Amino acid sequence: MITKITRRTAMGAFVAAGLSVGLSFPAISADMTFTLATSGSETDQRSVAMAEVFAPAVASFADYKPGYNGSMFAQGTELDAISRGNLTMSIASAQELAQFFPEFSIFATGYVHQDAAHQVRVFNDPLMDPFKKKVEDELGVKLLSVMYLGRRHVNLRFSRDEKDVQTPADLAGVNLRMPGTDAWQFLGSALGASPTPMAFTEVYTALASGAVDGQDNPLPTVVDAKFYEVTKQIALTSHLVDLNYIAFSKETWDGLTADQQLTVQKAADAAAAYGRLKQLDKENNLADFIRSNGVEIYTPDLNAFRTHVQAQYVGSEFAASWPEGVLEKINALGN
Ligand code: KDO
């Protein structure tokens, strides 16, 4: 009877005995388990990328155990869980990191990132090194890769006849659900709305009941979370080309062999690239499906939104935390 030994040991024993490693034998537990907590659904492209690309790539030495819809840790608590050694991975946001390190708000600022490729150039640029180092040294979290979440737009319960959104002034008094952290709430205010903090998993019910007037997420999320069932319009504000980071426990990372570290890094990059392409494809092809479900989609006065939102950040507490010259470097990496 094979006792509970690691897969690597068992494989080594078979190979040493000159037996084909293709022999089937009882499942043997891997050396370790990578847990991942996300408030995203199982069908969200970032979750799919982690399950279908990352997990198989590390399977030779680690099992993968995801917790979707905030079931493992509530949205916004994942980084603390990693830091305390209770979680391996999360799909983290710059807004959540800004709760620990305010300077991360630069990556969560409206109308800064221009598109998915710009996000990748910024994440891979040396300008990111001090940010990454601080998160590793002070939080015990390693940011492996940048994931593309998409262009966030204003999505309202009201029909366009009830509330036509052309400029930020049209959002005055609109109770707009935004995620709970300060940087998110600031963005909601910068759009001209009255932001309400709320966990992602509560948004559908809040829209259906009228507890909030709207929310902001990219088109793929509007479809995946079925927000089109409880809203009537999307004003394509593109106010944030949003991203997440594949966040990994530094303690776990430091316990890996060099080969395992290389495998984990390559697996994260491959998953991020796969998810980015799938999300971009969905983003470019979902408008008609959403319209077919009775949701009006239109482009507001983007110049009015961009000018107003950017003006709110000038002189803000967030801008005060940005390291000198970083915004200029980010802009220089744009198109
Ligand atoms: C959301 O709560 O609106 C948000 O889009 C914020 C993102 O940073 C990310 O947490 C996302 O939710 C979840 O992954 C669910 O898609």
Side-chain angles (χ1 to χ4, degrees), residues 36-252:
L36 175 122
T38 174
S39 46
S41 71
E42 184 169 2
T43 51
D44 179 286
Q45 286 312 304
R46 292 158 298 153
S47 302
V48 170
M50 292 305 290
E52 295 188 5
V53 178
F54 178 86
V58 302
S60 63
F61 57 86
D63 289 328
Y64 175 70
K65 183 183 175 189
Y68 303 116
N69 303 308
S71 59
M72 194 179 282
F73 287 96
Q75 185 181 34
T77 69
E78 303 94 334
L79 286 170
D80 190 55
I82 294 175
S83 185
R84 294 171 185 271
N86 299 327
L87 176 66
T88 315
M89 307 175 74
S90 77
I91 297 176
S93 69
Q95 294 85 348
E96 289 159 351
L97 284 160
Q99 294 290 93
F100 298 93
F101 313 107
E103 60 268 34
F104 265 87
S105 59
I106 197 166
F107 307 114
T109 296
Y111 296 110
V112 169
H113 279 114
Q114 295 173 6
D115 54 31
H118 187 201
Q119 288 178 349
V120 174
R121 290 195 296 272
V122 169
F123 184 78
N124 292 332
D125 189 90
L127 76 88
M128 276 303 294
D129 294 346
F131 290 89
K132 292 173 181 175
K133 184 173 188 326
K134 194 164 192 181
V135 179
E136 288 183 27
D137 294 348
E138 299 183 24
L139 200 57
V141 173
K142 187 173 178 64
L143 302 181
L144 292 177
S145 301
V146 62
M147 300 187 108
Y148 179 67
L149 178 49
R151 296 176 182 277
R152 298 182 80 97
H153 307 295
V154 172
N155 175 212
L156 303 182
R157 296 181 65 241
F158 311 123
S159 71
R160 196 173 177 189
D161 291 338
E162 295 171 303
K163 166 69 69 175
D164 186 46
V165 177
Q166 288 303 321
T167 69
D170 297 322
L171 288 177
V174 169
N175 179 4
L176 185 67
R177 175 270 173 185
M178 297 297 287
T181 62
D182 298 346
W184 279 118
Q185 295 298 300
F186 186 87
L187 178 56
S189 299
L191 284 164
S194 301
T196 291
M198 181 180 294
F200 179 77
T201 48
E202 298 168 20
V203 174
Y204 182 97
T205 305
L207 289 167
S209 67
V212 294
D213 298 330
Q215 68 89 31
D216 84 310
N217 258 287
L219 299 186
T221 301
V222 169
V223 172
D224 186 69
K226 296 184 168 36
F227 292 150
Y228 59 83
E229 293 177 345
V230 289
T231 57
K232 294 226 182 331
Q233 70 166 284
I234 297 174
L236 297 173
T237 48
S238 278
H239 53 271
L240 183 68
V241 179
D242 205 8
L243 57 81
N244 289 122
Y245 302 109
I246 300 179
F248 195 90
S249 160
K250 183 73 168 51
E251 182 183 14
T252 302

